[in-house]
């Protein structure tokens, strides 16, 4: 693969664009052209959210590859495009990573590169992702997730304060918070007897400061854990994100780099987002040296990825990616239903099954309630998501399509006004780490519905 | 003598706005004014209804953000020419209001802000878009410099929403709390949070933000 120093140099010397040119003219223009060229316009099929059409998936891959070659990734810091030749992209893509082992003995878990309908189980990296969790209940919330061994790795919530002081991005508190998050998470998993389980951080800090505080520092996240780099939509990076990638390479840690293409946004349609998601995966291997690249979609109308359009786009894009790239590929579950609601579990079924049968390996979530309201995540939705994800391994896309077609209508009319559910302390017992009867009953009912639909949960 | 709108002008400007063709929108507006058409008629009968329809199309995924933004820019350009013509005639333009908008310090996500910014322009507001990663001080300095009515701050991530609180705190500390309407939005914001930091309003959606600004402005004017 092309040397990383050369990538940094291209960020300094590449073609200049203003952010507006990149966002509203260049990228949308090329995407529109490629949708026509590869005859994949208007292929969105609302009746069949999970496509089984390999030829269609391959057309999306070809379009995504050409988009990668023609646009590159935009560096916001230098306002230049980091460009690559087709050969450079194909060379990077050709470097296979069949599996990555996370955690350490005795809690090691292997993340396998997967393909559509693959029988290898996906890796469930779950927890109160994206949600502020107060320090007072940080331990029980995270213990409630870690206690379920079906959850392979844990993604923490975000801290809002440290020693009672609000954390602000760019302030030194952010560096401290990155470290504090890792220390607290280690305490939580140790308390439930899983001290060496895989962790994923730094979640509290979007910038490089928190990452430097929390990753590779004494008491912090280690090379056995998973890092987080989130690219900016569409196809953009910053020096800050590249700092994280540089630091992780020095440490020798596995690099996860994700990207969300926005349905309704600059690349617009489900088809445009699916193509761009393929491109994001290809280019993050080069620009962020991602071992686990991610290219998913996000529906800006509902601030989630469980809409019918988003599920369809991620299925076709995921198949395009996993049919051609042998690396663990990331897919996200960012839903809007709150804890202790049917809606949340219906969204997780639809989204999760779709990601798994499309070949995603690293399923990342659960962004309960869209992450907007604090202290509203529990361990039970992570358990349910992990169980569903693993049960979906080996399913055919056709069977999965039949299944999600039954579950999407249960929640899609609520996406604009989602069921908010309850905060942690109203649906989970902090001492026993058990859900309330009400929340448990919803969970059991949903398991029965899955069984009735032909899915066996172990 | 003030003329009514001819179907040709109406159609030409409508097409230019729908296509986000700023140059043709400006040219057609200038032609219309030179023909003696009332500047306000151009706004009331073409710009606002056409851009409102474009906003609705965006909500339904019939068009996407680039088209919405281009139409908003073209509409803004028309409004500036109309404003200039009204001032030249010695009158004052009755603007819907001026909004200073941006994404807070530390947050590099701007799609939600761009949607609200474009929709506000489409509804006849003068919008000062500060972009992203905007400090609390800059929000307020720009509001002061532009005699704004509304400050609108966006934060996508739960870890960057403290930036919206900083704007609220600085407005209070500089004694400007009652001078501006302060509204917030974005993926990490809720009504409860808006209440907690004493913002004047919150909206979950782009179209909701327009209704919110209209309601707050009407209330401020005593309507």
């Amino acid at each position: 693969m092309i040397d990383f120093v050369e990538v940094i140099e291209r960020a300094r010397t590449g073609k200049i664009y203003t952010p507006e040119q990149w966002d509203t003219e260049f990228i949308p223009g090329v995407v529109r052209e490629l949708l026509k060229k590869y005859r994949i316009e208007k292929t969105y099929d609302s009746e069949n959210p999970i496509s089984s059409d390999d030829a269609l998936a391959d057309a999306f891959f070809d379009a995504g590859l050409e988009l990668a070659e023609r646009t590159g990734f935009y560096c916001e810091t230098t306002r230049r495009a980091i460009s690559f030749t087709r050969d450079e992209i194909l060379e990077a893509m050709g470097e296979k990573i069949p599996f990555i082992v996370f955690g350490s003995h005795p809690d090691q878990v292997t993340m396998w590169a997967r393909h559509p309908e693959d029988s290898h189980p996906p890796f469930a990296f779950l927890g109160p992702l994206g949600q502020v969790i107060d320090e007072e209940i940080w331990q029980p919330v995270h213990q409630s997730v870690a206690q379920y061994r079906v959850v392979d790795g844990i993604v923490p919530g975000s801290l809002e304060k440290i020693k009672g002081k609000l954390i602000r991005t760019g302030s030194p508190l952010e560096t401290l918070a990155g470290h504090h998050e890792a220390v607290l998470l280690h305490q939580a998993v140790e308390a439930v007897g899983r001290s060496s389980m895989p962790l994923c951080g730094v979640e509290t800090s979007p910038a490089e400061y928190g990452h430097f505080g929390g990753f590779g520092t004494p008491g912090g996240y280690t090379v056995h854990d998973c890092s987080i780099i989130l690219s900016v939509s569409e196809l953009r990076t910053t020096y800050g994100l590249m700092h994280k990638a540089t630091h992780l390479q020095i440490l020798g840690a596995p690099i996860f780099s994700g990207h969300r293409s926005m349905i309704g946004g600059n690349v617009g349609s489900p088809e445009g987002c699916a193509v761009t998601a393929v491109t994001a995966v290809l280019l993050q291997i080069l620009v962020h040296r991602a071992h686990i690249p991610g290219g998913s979609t996000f529906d800006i109308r509902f601030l989630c990825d469980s809409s019918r359009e988003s599920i369809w786009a991620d299925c076709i894009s995921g198949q395009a990616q996993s049919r051609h790239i042998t690396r663990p590929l990331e897919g996200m579950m960012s839903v809007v239903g709150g804890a202790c609601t049917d809606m949340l579990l219906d969204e997780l079924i639809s989204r999760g099954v779709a990601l798994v049968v499309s070949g995603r390996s690293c399923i990342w979530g659960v962004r309960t309630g869209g992450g907007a309201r604090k202290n509203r995540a529990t361990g039970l939705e992570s358990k349910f998501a992990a169980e569903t994800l693993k049960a979906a391994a080996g399913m055919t896309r056709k069977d999965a399509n039949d299944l999600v077609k039954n579950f999407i209508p249960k929640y899609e009319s609520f996406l604009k006004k989602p069921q908010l559910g309850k905060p942690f302390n109203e649906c989970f017992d902090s001492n026993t780490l058990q859900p309330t009867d009400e929340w448990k009953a919803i969970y059991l009912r949903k398991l029965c519905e899955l069984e009735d639909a032909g899915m066996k949960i172990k | 003598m003030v003329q009514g709108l001819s179907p040709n002008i109406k159609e030409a400007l409508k097409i230019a706005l729908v296509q986000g063709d700023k140059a043709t929108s400006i040219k057609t507006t200038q032609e219309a004014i030179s023909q003696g058409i009332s500047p306000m008629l151009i706004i009331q009968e073409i710009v606002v209804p056409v851009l409102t329809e474009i906003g609705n199309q965006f909500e339904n995924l019939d068009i996407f953000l680039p088209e919405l933004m281009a139409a908003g820019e073209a509409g803004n350009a028309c409004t500036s020419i109309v404003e200039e013509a009204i001032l030249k005639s010695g009158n004052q333009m009755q603007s819907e209001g001026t909004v200073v908008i941006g994404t807070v310090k530390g947050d590099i996500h701007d799609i939600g802000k761009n949607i609200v910014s474009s929709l506000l322009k489409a509804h006849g507001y003068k919008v000062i878009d500060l972009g992203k990663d905007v400090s609390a001080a800059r929000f307020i300095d720009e509001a002061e410099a532009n005699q704004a009515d509304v400050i609108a701050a966006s934060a996508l991530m739960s870890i960057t929403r403290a930036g919206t609180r900083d704007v609220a705190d600085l407005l209070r500390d500089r004694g400007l709390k009652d001078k501006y309407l302060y509204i917030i939005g974005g993926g990490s914001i809720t009504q409860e949070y808006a209440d907690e930091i004493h913002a004047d309003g919150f909206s979950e959606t782009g179209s909701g933000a327009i209704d919110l600004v209209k309601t707050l402005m009407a209330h401020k004017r005593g309507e």
Side-chain angles (χ1 to χ4, degrees):
Chain A
M1 197 180 335
I2 184 174
D3 195 89
F4 190 58
V5 171
E6 174 62 20
V7 176
I8 297 169
E9 182 64 8
R10 289 185 193 182
R12 193 184 66 79
T13 57
K15 188 172 177 189
I16 294 172
Y17 294 89
T18 65
E20 293 74 25
Q21 283 172 329
W22 182 267
D23 283 345
T24 62
E25 295 170 24
F26 183 49
I27 295 294
V30 181
V31 169
R32 273 196 295 268
E33 188 189 323
L34 294 176
L35 291 177
K36 278 197 182 76
K37 177 178 174 181
Y38 289 92
R39 298 182 177 184
I40 49 178
E41 275 183 311
K42 313 279 183 200
T43 49
Y44 165 60
D45 181 356
S46 63
E47 296 301 311
N48 294 292
I50 299 179
S51 165
S52 301
D53 186 340
D54 288 343
L56 184 64
D58 289 346
F60 271 92
F61 178 80
D62 291 341
L65 176 60
E66 183 168 339
L67 182 64
E69 183 189 354
R70 288 178 57 180
T71 63
F73 228 57
Y74 184 62
C75 179
E76 290 186 1
T77 315
T78 59
R79 297 197 164 193
R80 290 172 187 267
I82 311 171
S83 301
F84 303 96
T85 66
R86 190 180 192 89
D87 286 346
E88 286 169 342
I89 297 164
L90 289 173
E91 183 194 16
M93 187 189 100
E95 291 187 11
K96 297 180 178 178
I97 302 179
F99 65 89
I100 299 172
V101 178
F102 283 102
S104 48
H105 183 74
D107 296 311
Q108 279 182 335
V109 186
T110 300
M111 181 187 288
W112 299 96
R114 300 179 70 254
H115 303 288
E117 303 181 4
D118 202 305
S119 58
H120 280 101
F123 191 107
F125 244 133
L126 305 173
L129 166 68
Q131 191 169 130
V132 170
I133 305 294
D134 284 336
E135 199 165 340
E136 296 74 37
I137 61 164
W138 178 277
Q139 292 304 332
V141 168
H142 290 84
Q143 286 168 21
S144 80
V145 181
Q147 68 176 330
Y148 298 122
R149 289 190 176 265
V150 68
V151 177
D152 298 310
I154 185 163
V155 187
S158 300
L159 290 162
E160 190 173 40
K161 295 178 182 175
I162 185 163
K163 295 185 179 173
K165 304 297 179 197
L166 265 181
I167 301 159
R168 287 174 170 82
T169 52
S171 105
L173 278 184
E174 192 175 5
T175 310
L176 277 176
H179 186 254
H180 194 50
E181 171 197 300
V183 169
L184 289 177
L185 191 57
H186 277 298
Q187 288 171 1
V189 298
E190 199 171 321
V192 295
R194 297 183 74 188
S195 58
S196 46
M197 76 178 287
L199 310 177
C200 185
V202 172
E203 174 60 21
T204 294
S205 157
E208 63 273 30
Y209 306 109
H211 169 87
F212 289 142
F215 217 104
T217 48
Y221 298 108
T222 74
V223 294
H224 302 296
D225 299 320
C226 188
S227 58
I228 304 171
I229 298 176
L230 289 179
S231 301
V232 185
S233 302
E234 299 290 337
L235 306 177
R236 293 193 283 177
T237 187
T238 65
Y239 269 0
L241 297 177
M242 292 176 78
H243 272 304
K244 286 189 186 184
T246 310
H247 180 239
L248 290 163
Q249 288 175 75
I250 294 167
L251 290 174
I255 300 175
F256 152 54
S257 179
H259 178 279
R260 313 279 163 250
S261 293
M262 303 291 170
I263 291 180
N266 291 316
V267 292
S269 62
E271 297 91 337
C273 288
V275 169
T276 313
V278 172
T279 305
V281 164
L282 292 170
L283 293 178
Q284 287 172 110
I285 295 172
L286 284 150
V287 175
H288 294 153
R289 316 311 263 195
H291 303 96
I292 310 160
S296 301
T297 68
F298 192 79
D299 196 322
I300 57 176
R301 295 170 302 167
F302 312 116
L303 298 176
C304 70
D305 55 24
S306 53
S307 72
R308 197 176 280 265
E309 290 85 351
S310 193
I311 288 175
W312 179 88
D314 277 320
C315 278
I316 199 69
S317 182
Q319 292 172 42
Q321 296 163 25
S322 65
R323 281 172 55 78
H324 295 269
I325 302 167
T326 303
R327 281 177 189 238
L329 298 166
E330 177 264 353
M332 191 177 191
M333 291 192 291
S334 183
V335 294
V336 283
C340 202
T341 68
D342 283 86
M343 180 180 185
L344 169 61
L345 302 189
D346 289 330
E347 288 180 276
L348 292 177
I349 292 167
S350 304
R351 179 77 186 163
V353 168
L355 290 172
V356 172
V357 299
S358 300
R360 292 319 209 295
S361 299
C362 173
I363 315 293
W364 206 53
V366 177
R367 215 159 163 254
T368 307
R373 289 170 174 78
K374 67 179 182 179
N375 301 330
R376 281 179 174 262
T378 79
L380 195 59
E381 64 267 27
S382 288
K383 177 180 193 281
F384 180 81
E387 289 168 340
T388 310
L389 295 172
K390 295 190 178 187
M395 271 181 99
T396 65
R397 285 167 285 176
K398 185 185 173 304
D399 287 347
N401 186 47
D402 291 341
L403 185 122
V404 304
K405 279 164 72 174
N406 285 327
F407 281 90
I408 293 176
K410 292 175 191 276
Y411 66 81
E412 64 184 340
S413 62
F414 303 119
L415 285 173
K416 278 226 165 183
K417 286 278 173 202
Q419 297 169 357
L420 298 180
K422 296 187 172 179
F424 176 80
N425 58 11
E426 289 178 24
C427 58
F428 231 87
D429 186 317
S430 293
N431 297 314
T432 64
L433 297 181
Q434 291 303 307
T436 58
D437 290 345
E438 180 191 12
W439 191 198
K440 193 174 176 183
I442 294 171
Y443 163 80
L444 291 173
R445 185 168 69 241
K446 213 47 71 177
L447 285 186
C448 289
E449 286 179 28
L450 275 176
E451 287 212 354
D452 291 345
M455 185 181 238
K456 293 277 176 271
I457 302 286
K458 285 179 188 167
Chain B
M1 187 183 152
V2 175
Q3 302 287 317
L5 272 168
S6 76
N8 285 351
I9 292 266
K10 203 169 178 176
E11 190 59 21
L13 186 51
K14 184 181 170 186
I15 290 170
L17 287 169
V18 167
Q19 293 179 342
D21 183 345
K22 194 170 168 182
T24 307
S25 299
I26 291 170
K27 193 170 153 234
T28 313
T29 306
Q30 285 168 335
E31 276 173 19
I33 290 170
S34 69
Q35 287 172 19
I37 293 169
S38 156
M40 279 316 293
L41 211 57
I42 296 170
I43 298 293
Q44 288 164 356
E45 292 206 4
I46 309 178
V47 178
V48 170
V50 168
L51 293 186
T52 303
E53 173 56 23
I54 287 172
N56 294 336
Q57 287 177 359
F58 173 74
E59 294 273 318
N60 296 329
L61 276 193
D62 295 328
I63 61 165
F64 306 117
L65 189 55
E67 291 85 5
L68 176 71
M69 289 177 73
E73 287 300 320
N76 228 22
C78 292
T79 310
S80 296
I81 292 164
V82 165
E83 189 175 18
E84 201 178 305
I86 291 172
L87 288 173
K88 266 187 193 165
S89 69
N91 296 316
Q92 283 283 320
M93 181 165 160
Q94 183 67 41
S95 162
E96 292 292 329
T98 300
V99 182
V100 165
I101 191 169
T103 303
V104 297
K105 188 78 188 159
D107 203 322
I108 53 175
H109 300 86
D110 59 359
I111 285 183
K113 182 269 299 171
N114 289 342
I115 293 169
V116 175
S117 176
S118 299
L119 289 172
L120 283 166
K121 288 173 188 170
H123 284 79
Y125 290 89
K126 183 177 177 188
V127 178
I128 314 295
D129 190 338
L130 305 179
K132 55 190 180 178
D133 196 18
V134 179
S135 69
R138 184 149 176 251
F139 272 105
I140 296 170
D141 290 347
E142 294 288 344
E144 289 282 273
N146 291 283
Q147 298 175 303
D149 303 290
V150 179
I151 296 173
S154 164
L156 179 76
M157 305 171 82
S158 51
I159 37 201
T160 56
R161 71 178 185 181
T164 61
R165 184 189 292 270
D166 289 348
V167 178
D169 289 352
L170 195 59
L171 278 169
R172 182 198 61 212
D173 294 347
R174 286 174 62 173
L176 298 168
K177 171 79 184 84
D178 297 328
K179 185 172 179 183
Y180 300 105
L181 294 165
Y182 178 47
I183 64 170
I184 59 175
S188 65
I189 308 291
T190 60
Q191 183 62 57
E192 294 91 323
Y193 185 75
D195 294 342
E196 185 184 320
I197 68 167
H198 305 295
D200 295 303
F202 153 77
S203 172
E204 278 184 324
T205 63
S207 54
I210 312 308
D211 294 339
L212 175 67
V213 170
K214 278 183 183 167
T215 306
L216 290 172
M217 289 284 293
H219 190 255
K220 193 177 181 184
R221 290 182 186 127
E223 293 167 8

